[in-house]
Amino acid sequence: MTLQAKLDAFKADFKAGKPPYNAPADIHPVMERATADLIASGAASRALKVGDIAPLFTLKDPEGNAVSSADRLARGPLVLTFYRGVWCPYCNMELQALQAFLPEIENNGASLLAISPQIAANSRKSQRINELQFPILSDPRNDVAAAFGLRFELPPYLIELYKNLRNDLPTFNDDPAWTLPMPARYVIGQDGVIRYAEVNPDYTQRPEPDAMLDALRG
């Protein structure tokens, strides 16, 4: 089954109120409105694209070790995935798909980094529950996401819904601002130029891992 097929199947069960989330019917129009508003804002069109120079960054992994994109690029191409957090089931399924694809990434001389705004403890949880063998980096205040044009503020009506659902982003991220990155995937060449870019204002839609194969092969 493809990644998107898995996401679509999960979404259908989620909207149907099935376990384990048992989501009430009244939350779905609010979430769909927020997605539609983000798409209509044109935010995705302002994110970095193929041919742009990727900003360099240094972020910490869950053990507090600094990971530098410049150091990674010195060794080969770099794959970046920006995701919302361990609380997002769509993100977890994408991380699992990327883990399965990791040998193909490494066989092409590239490395993979995942970036989210969550604190180290939640990154460790992401690694544990998804059985990941690549680093997850914490991006405080979504500053690196902002450099890629991915950071956005949640609208007040969605913040209210998240509070009611006890989806406490300020605690997850140790940041009072209610911001998230649009899910995105990049392949960056050793020259720093973006070879592949996929930005999804609809968080339920994710590209297949093999969509970046041509970019990995250069």
Side-chain angles (χ1 to χ4, degrees):
M1 184 183 292
T2 66
L3 169 60
Q4 191 58 53
K6 291 178 182 178
L7 297 176
D8 291 342
F10 171 83
K11 183 177 180 179
D13 287 347
F14 183 72
K15 291 189 70 174
K18 293 183 179 180
Y21 289 93
N22 304 307
D26 60 346
I27 72 171
H28 304 301
V30 180
M31 291 180 170
E32 290 165 2
R33 174 188 171 191
T35 297
D37 285 350
L38 184 58
I39 292 170
S41 75
S45 67
R46 296 188 287 275
L48 294 187
K49 302 175 180 62
V50 172
D52 290 337
I53 299 295
L56 296 175
F57 61 84
T58 299
L59 296 173
K60 290 183 179 180
D61 69 13
E63 285 68 50
N65 301 309
V67 178
S68 161
S69 62
D71 288 347
R72 294 289 174 133
L73 287 168
R75 307 176 206 168
L78 177 59
V79 178
L80 298 180
T81 182
F82 288 86
Y83 76 105
R84 301 176 342 141
V86 69
W87 53 270
C88 172
Y90 299 93
C91 297
N92 290 325
M93 283 186 274
E94 182 182 24
L95 291 174
Q96 292 164 17
L98 288 170
Q99 174 60 44
F101 194 71
L102 185 60
E104 190 69 41
I105 292 173
E106 294 178 340
N107 286 343
N108 282 279
S111 58
L112 170 62
L113 299 174
I115 298 174
S116 86
Q118 65 192 3
I119 61 173
N122 290 322
S123 291
R124 283 193 291 271
K125 185 177 180 181
S126 284
Q127 288 182 311
R128 183 175 66 254
I129 67 172
N130 296 305
E131 300 181 343
L132 305 180
Q133 297 173 345
F134 55 88
I136 289 182
L137 308 180
S138 294
D139 179 19
R141 298 173 301 280
N142 278 301
D143 285 344
V144 173
F148 279 79
L150 304 172
R151 184 175 64 191
F152 70 97
E153 295 182 8
L154 274 65
Y157 62 84
L158 186 59
I159 294 174
E160 187 63 28
L161 176 65
Y162 275 23
K163 287 179 177 178
N164 291 338
L165 295 174
R166 297 183 180 179
N167 192 12
D168 185 3
L169 295 190
T171 297
F172 287 141
N173 301 337
D174 191 24
D175 179 10
W178 287 78
T179 70
L180 285 173
M182 288 181 286
R185 194 182 304 157
Y186 290 96
V187 176
I188 304 167
Q190 286 192 271
D191 57 0
V193 176
I194 295 172
R195 296 180 183 174
Y196 172 91
E198 181 72 29
V199 180
N200 294 285
D202 181 350
Y203 61 89
T204 70
Q205 302 292 310
R206 309 292 172 100
E208 300 301 320
D210 61 9
M212 59 183 171
L213 261 180
D214 288 345
L216 281 172
R217 292 169 178 166

